[in-house]
Amino acid sequence: MATLTLSRRITLLGSTGSVGRSTLDLIEKSDAEVEIVALTAGRNVALLAEQALKWRPALAVIDDESRLADLRDLLKGSGVQAQGGRQAVVEAAQAGAQWVMSAIVGFAGLAPTLAAARSGAIVALANKESLVCAGPRLLRIAQLAGGRVIPVDSEHSAIFQVLEPQNADQVSRLILTASGGPFRTWSGDLMANATPAQAVAHPNWSMGKKISVDSATMMNKGLEMIEAAYLFGMPPEKVDVIVHPQSIIHSLVEYTDGSTLAQLGVPDMRTPIACALAWPDRLTWPAPKLDLTTTGDLSFETPDLDRFPALGLAKAALSAGGCAPAVLNAANEVAVAAFLDHRVGFLDIAAIVGETLNRVEAKGLAEDDMSNALDDAQDVEFMARRAANEVMANFARARSGGLSR
Amino acid sequence: MATLTLSRRITLLGSTGSVGRSTLDLIEKSDAEVEIVALTAGRNVALLAEQALKWRPALAVIDDESRLADLRDLLKGSGVQAQGGRQAVVEAAQAGAQWVMSAIVGFAGLAPTLAAARSGAIVALANKESLVCAGPRLLRIAQLAGGRVIPVDSEHSAIFQVLEPQNADQVSRLILTASGGPFRTWSGDLMANATPAQAVAHPNWSMGKKISVDSATMMNKGLEMIEAAYLFGMPPEKVDVIVHPQSIIHSLVEYTDGSTLAQLGVPDMRTPIACALAWPDRLTWPAPKLDLTTTGDLSFETPDLDRFPALGLAKAALSAGGCAPAVLNAANEVAVAAFLDHRVGFLDIAAIVGETLNRVEAKGLAEDDMSNALDDAQDVEFMARRAANEVMANFARARSGGLSR
């Protein structure tokens, strides 16, 4: 075959976010023949309706039910069915697509991702929380249903592409590369006063706000270490991070024979999406080409765990096991939201996460035996969010007591 | 399986050269269980005997028959059979090994490599000339015999490791990396007076003299382009070269979806040898580990075709097809030998090769229809060597006429 023509029934969960938009853009520019079953979005009714009118899925779902009336208006007479609410998103996830892009940001992505996996679809996973909060069970569910989880995150996509299934036991290290984020060269003092606007200005990737802040704290990379350990079945000590400011090498796999395999590319989410869409084949589209003679030198640094304590927290949570990664993630969501809302400072994010991990662990919640993936994850999420909010309130009290206002 | 235990009957053609010595060293340090069928060497009787006494192959062969008596003396009472001469090397190549390392340098490696391929063995190929002079037929012979050719050259090993068989049609480019050799930063004037000692002082790799000079002229990389085109079935326009002085990325494969896969490692021949030995599994041995945070930055340049005309000559020979690559190779062997012997200057090497290509092409020898791989290759080799020697003699006459001696 000269070029591959893909023909697939697909669903996009989170179609109006950056990964969702990139997926549609890629499909439009590629030789893939795709039928869209459902598109879902959180709140952006206008863009969801625009996408639905263009792509004509059977179903368009808005998570924020208060906006369903608007969606119905916009889709009137189009033949696209409009639905609203969280349960409708979950139903869209299992509506018969062969391939489901899971690109909802945050914990809200877990339920529909589990539903998609249960339906036996290939799940292209951009939602970190599904792996961090319920990784082993998500993978097991997909396997039992005859499906498969393929990572979309550029780092895990890189590893997925060069991890030889027959040689998993001969892997000595997975090496995730990190851009280092916008504060890579900042002093701790400068970072203490960093604003949300500064934190979301990522040097190499165009991403959502939450993920951009995670990149600034490097919690993003911490969560990716956890994901990688689950996704590729590696013990914590075989998962490493190196800082690579140019984001050209997207990650590497080191084998026991001295060979290290890597995936490289121009920083563009459409390439890992294309890999997930066409796997085990490859898509043809006018991809931006990497020219190493013009990218400038590629450099690498050991991450600074003092300035980026989130990395150490994530490694500790991964080693602790049980629900510790889920607690880490929930506390981080609470803290990042507060930071974006100007309620806490940049360095407080890691402090809140660390203190929440201490508290919840002290309450004996770090257990491994969870019988229902979604309910248990939701219980942990609820508990961890409450604990994180308590920690934040304590921080605020300590500060207002210590500072004269 | 936790670690792989390889158990193979192997033969080493060229056991006393750098690749041969590295192969034995690797086997000694690895978890591979290997039975050696035969060792062959060109002239180094002392080392061949030492290796034979240590590894106890059934057979030890010295190509230079005048040294057979010495070999017999050294192996007396060891139980290792000693033989001598070119035909004995060919017989050793087909003496029943499952895996044959083809590491004889130069055209002399062709006959035993073809014999090994015909025997159905896996041929680990370090001999460039077998591909350059008879590539398509060598591969066909191996395929028909149920064997396989696996490259050992670090660049082709890199490509072999990341070229997905099912996606060969979605490869947009094979990118061979070149160190640039010892004269990468030299001016043309300096290069004109380069000595053999300077040319064999390679910055990153420990190699034989002939190959080191080829690295200095970049003819090495030109021959590798030809090899890659044959070995991976790629048209000339899909085979590229970039200069990468650190020799950490050993080569790359660019796909149509924007993904570029690469193999990296500390420059050490034992790793590509390990890949070839264990394929499709991977060997465990105390390999030197790549630490990108200490290697220094990785840089890349477009090769300078003016200072390194050998690259352009090789590409032209590849595009011309037929026996042109074999003529290129034979003329280069003649010219490099003359350079190492202080009979011609460094820049004369490419000049002699270029002029020989012109002459032999003018005689209408660039044809594709060769019915017997070895005989035809030998005919071309003979013709090309004679032409190259004539060219050299003309150069010498022109100079002695032009210079007052």
Side-chain angles (χ1 to χ4, degrees):
Chain A
M1 74 196 156
T3 53
L4 171 82
T5 304
L6 253 182
S7 183
R8 272 191 178 152
R9 289 164 47 85
I10 75 171
T11 282
L12 268 62
L13 306 173
S15 66
T16 60
S18 66
V19 172
R21 293 196 309 272
S22 293
T23 306
L24 290 175
D25 182 61
L26 168 75
I27 290 170
E28 191 171 2
K29 295 191 163 97
S30 80
D31 57 356
E33 280 177 16
V34 154
E35 177 193 342
I36 299 192
V37 177
L39 296 175
T40 86
R43 303 160 150 244
N44 192 341
V45 169
L47 182 54
L48 175 61
E50 189 188 314
Q51 291 174 337
L53 291 174
K54 177 168 181 179
W55 291 90
R56 302 287 164 154
L59 186 63
V61 182
I62 190 82
D63 181 62
D64 180 353
E65 211 160 354
S66 71
R67 301 176 190 222
L68 175 57
D70 290 347
L71 183 64
R72 288 216 165 107
D73 277 354
L74 290 165
L75 294 182
K76 195 169 285 175
S78 69
V80 179
Q81 191 189 348
Q83 293 189 354
R86 193 138 295 187
Q87 189 50 36
V89 173
V90 171
E91 278 158 24
Q94 56 196 14
Q98 298 161 310
W99 188 91
V100 177
M101 167 56 79
S102 161
I104 295 169
V105 173
F107 190 80
L110 176 56
T113 303
L114 287 169
R118 231 172 246 119
S119 79
I122 291 176
V123 178
L125 192 65
N127 171 265
K128 288 180 194 297
E129 289 72 12
S130 297
L131 274 177
V132 173
C133 302
R137 287 205 281 191
L138 169 65
L139 297 170
R140 182 84 182 127
I141 286 167
Q143 190 188 29
L144 288 174
R148 162 135 212 168
V149 175
I150 300 182
V152 167
D153 210 12
S154 65
E155 292 80 359
H156 301 97
S157 173
I159 292 171
F160 181 77
Q161 291 178 59
V162 296
L163 181 51
E164 302 164 345
Q166 77 276 22
N167 293 319
D169 288 339
Q170 275 70 45
V171 169
S172 48
R173 246 185 343 151
L174 305 182
I175 306 167
L176 296 161
T177 54
S179 70
F183 303 152
R184 179 175 64 89
T185 59
W186 288 33
S187 69
D189 287 349
L190 269 178
M191 285 167 73
N193 295 310
T195 65
Q198 290 169 322
V200 301
H202 193 277
N204 301 332
W205 294 92
S206 166
M207 304 185 297
K209 278 186 188 179
K210 158 68 168 60
I211 295 175
S212 292
V213 175
D214 286 347
S215 171
T217 58
M218 293 192 73
M219 181 60 88
N220 195 36
K221 212 51 56 175
L223 293 170
E224 286 173 15
M225 288 172 60
I226 294 168
E227 285 179 273
Y230 288 153
L231 197 49
F232 303 112
M234 291 287 156
E237 64 274 15
K238 284 193 178 177
V239 184
D240 252 4
V241 170
I242 57 173
V243 173
H244 167 44
Q246 298 81 22
S247 297
I248 296 295
I249 298 185
H250 295 147
S251 280
L252 312 94
V253 175
E254 178 192 85
Y255 291 92
T256 56
D257 64 359
S259 230
T260 296
L261 303 189
Q263 188 260 358
L264 299 81
V266 174
D268 188 315
M269 280 307 295
R270 291 171 298 180
T271 287
I273 295 168
C275 289
L277 184 59
W279 179 87
D281 299 317
R282 287 191 180 268
L283 215 59
T284 297
W285 70 288
K289 297 285 182 190
L290 177 66
D291 179 359
L292 286 170
T293 66
T294 59
T295 49
D297 292 358
L298 305 184
S299 63
F300 305 90
E301 302 161 11
T302 304
D304 182 344
L305 297 181
D306 291 333
R307 286 187 304 123
F308 299 97
L311 271 182
L313 292 172
K315 190 109 193 188
L318 178 58
S319 298
C323 66
V327 171
L328 174 97
N329 178 64
N332 184 57
E333 283 207 9
V334 168
V336 170
F339 169 70
L340 285 172
D341 204 24
H342 299 269
R343 285 182 283 124
V344 303
F346 182 76
L347 295 185
D348 293 334
I349 298 172
I352 291 164
V353 172
E355 186 54 28
T356 306
L357 273 174
N358 287 341
R359 282 193 170 219
V360 177
E361 207 173 13
K363 286 181 187 168
L365 274 173
E367 54 187 280
D368 238 333
D369 173 39
M370 307 188 289
S371 53
N372 180 299
L374 184 59
D375 287 352
D376 291 346
Q378 278 169 341
D379 287 351
V380 170
E381 165 86 357
F382 180 78
M383 184 78 76
R385 282 182 167 271
R386 195 170 57 186
N389 278 308
E390 286 170 13
V391 168
M392 270 205 303
N394 286 352
F395 273 36
R397 268 194 296 279
R399 269 182 203 168
S400 60
L403 298 169
S404 54
R405 284 202 181 167
Chain B
M1 71 196 157
T3 52
L4 170 82
T5 304
L6 255 183
S7 185
R8 271 188 178 152
R9 288 164 49 85
I10 76 172
T11 281
L12 268 62
L13 306 173
S15 67
T16 60
S18 65
V19 171
R21 293 195 310 271
S22 293
T23 305
L24 290 175
D25 183 60
L26 168 75
I27 291 169
E28 190 171 3
K29 294 191 164 93
S30 79
D31 57 356
E33 281 178 16
V34 153
E35 179 193 339
I36 299 190
V37 177
L39 297 176
T40 86
R43 305 161 149 243
N44 192 339
V45 169
L47 181 54
L48 175 62
E50 189 188 314
Q51 291 174 338
L53 291 174
K54 177 169 179 180
W55 291 91
R56 301 287 163 154
L59 186 63
V61 181
I62 191 83
D63 181 63
D64 179 354
E65 212 160 353
S66 71
R67 300 178 190 221
L68 176 57
D70 290 346
L71 183 63
R72 288 217 165 107
D73 276 353
L74 290 164
L75 294 182
K76 195 169 286 177
S78 69
V80 179
Q81 193 190 346
Q83 293 189 354
R86 193 140 293 190
Q87 188 50 36
V89 173
V90 170
E91 277 158 23
Q94 56 196 14
Q98 299 161 310
W99 187 92
V100 176
M101 167 58 78
S102 161
I104 294 170
V105 173
F107 190 80
L110 176 57
T113 303
L114 287 169
R118 230 172 246 121
S119 79
I122 293 176
V123 178
L125 192 64
N127 172 266
K128 288 180 194 298
E129 289 71 13
S130 297
L131 273 176
V132 173
C133 303
R137 288 205 280 191
L138 169 65
L139 297 170
R140 183 83 182 128
I141 286 167
Q143 190 188 31
L144 288 174
R148 162 138 211 163
V149 174
I150 300 182
V152 167
D153 210 11
S154 65
E155 293 79 0
H156 301 98
S157 174
I159 291 171
F160 181 77
Q161 291 179 59
V162 296
L163 181 51
E164 302 163 345
Q166 78 275 24
N167 293 318
D169 289 338
Q170 276 69 44
V171 170
S172 48
R173 245 186 343 152
L174 306 182
I175 306 167
L176 297 162
T177 54
S179 71
F183 303 150
R184 179 175 66 89
T185 60
W186 288 33
S187 68
D189 286 348
L190 268 178
M191 285 166 72
N193 295 308
T195 65
Q198 290 169 322
V200 302
H202 193 278
N204 302 330
W205 294 94
S206 167
M207 304 184 297
K209 279 185 186 180
K210 158 68 167 60
I211 295 175
S212 292
V213 174
D214 286 346
S215 171
T217 58
M218 292 192 74
M219 182 59 89
N220 196 35
K221 212 51 55 176
L223 293 169
E224 287 173 15
M225 288 172 61
I226 294 168
E227 285 179 273
Y230 288 152
L231 197 49
F232 304 112
M234 291 287 155
E237 64 273 17
K238 284 193 178 179
V239 184
D240 251 5
V241 170
I242 57 173
V243 173
H244 167 44
Q246 298 81 23
S247 297
I248 296 296
I249 298 184
H250 295 147
S251 279
L252 312 94
V253 175
E254 179 192 84
Y255 291 93
T256 55
D257 64 359
S259 231
T260 297
L261 304 189
Q263 188 259 1
L264 299 81
V266 174
D268 189 315
M269 279 308 295
R270 291 171 298 179
T271 286
I273 294 168
C275 289
L277 184 59
W279 179 86
D281 299 317
R282 285 191 180 269
L283 214 59
T284 296
W285 70 288
K289 297 286 181 189
L290 176 65
D291 179 358
L292 286 171
T293 66
T294 59
T295 48
D297 293 358
L298 305 184
S299 63
F300 306 89
E301 303 160 11
T302 304
D304 182 344
L305 297 181
D306 291 333
R307 286 187 302 124
F308 299 99
L311 272 181
L313 292 172
K315 191 112 192 184
L318 178 58
S319 298
C323 66
V327 170
L328 173 95
N329 178 64
N332 184 57
E333 283 207 11
V334 168
V336 171
F339 170 69
L340 285 172
D341 204 24
H342 300 267
R343 284 182 283 125
V344 303
F346 182 75
L347 296 185
D348 294 333
I349 298 172
I352 291 163
V353 172
E355 185 54 28
T356 306
L357 273 174
N358 287 342
R359 284 194 167 219
V360 177
E361 207 174 12
K363 287 182 187 165
L365 274 173
E367 53 187 282
D368 237 334
D369 173 39
M370 307 189 291
S371 54
N372 181 301
L374 184 59
D375 287 351
D376 292 344
Q378 278 169 341
D379 287 349
V380 171
E381 166 86 358
F382 180 79
M383 184 78 76
R385 283 181 168 272
R386 194 172 55 188
N389 278 308
E390 285 170 15
V391 168
M392 271 205 302
N394 287 351
F395 273 34
R397 267 194 297 278
R399 270 184 204 167
S400 61
L403 297 168
S404 55
R405 286 204 181 166

